[in-house]
Amino acid sequence: MPGEPQADCLFCKIVEGQIPATIVRESDTTVAFRDINPQAPTHVLVIPKVHYENAAALAVAEPTIAADVLREAQTVADEEKLESYRIVFNTGAGAGQTVWHAHAHVLGGRGLEWPPG
């Protein structure tokens, strides 16, 4: 059921403490942790504690929590002292989504070219 933890979801397992992660922030609705395959000097994932397949599904079902994800991404950037940074939501395999749990990538600490990849 949407919003409920999924037994086969890596990020749900991180939320539940079943899989370790380097957590940098946690709120009532989100968890932020360092990416295990960083693409920039700062690469933190911000995830909602509820399970939705992608950012669009989260925004439709739980707009307040979607806003919490963005707010926490800003706080991560502030705490990491990033003057410039990028927030990325990959949606679908063709866009690079590999974990089917909504999440934001906070990337910074180096120049980020445009257009991306």
Side-chain angles (χ1 to χ4, degrees), residues 10-28:
L10 172 68
F11 289 171
C12 287
K13 290 177 181 180
I14 289 172
V15 168
E16 294 175 359
Q18 297 173 356
I19 293 178
T22 305
I23 295 174
V24 297
R25 289 192 53 77
E26 185 169 1
S27 73
D28 290 341

Side-chain angles (χ1 to χ4, degrees), residues 26-104:
E26 185 169 1
S27 73
D28 290 341
T29 59
T30 66
V31 177
F33 54 93
R34 300 214 182 271
D35 194 296
I36 62 169
N37 183 27
Q39 301 300 304
T42 297
H43 189 167
V44 174
L45 301 177
V46 181
I47 67 170
K49 289 183 176 179
V50 293
H51 180 93
Y52 288 92
E53 182 175 290
N54 56 50
L58 174 65
V60 168
E62 307 263 6
T64 301
I65 295 176
D68 291 346
V69 169
L70 283 171
R71 189 173 17 264
E72 287 299 309
Q74 174 66 57
T75 302
V76 165
D78 291 344
E79 289 181 352
E80 296 285 322
K81 299 182 180 11
L82 299 175
E83 292 182 23
S84 298
Y85 61 95
R86 184 172 289 160
I87 299 171
V88 176
F89 292 94
N90 297 325
T91 302
Q97 186 176 5
T98 58
V99 178
W100 302 100
H101 183 120
H103 58 285

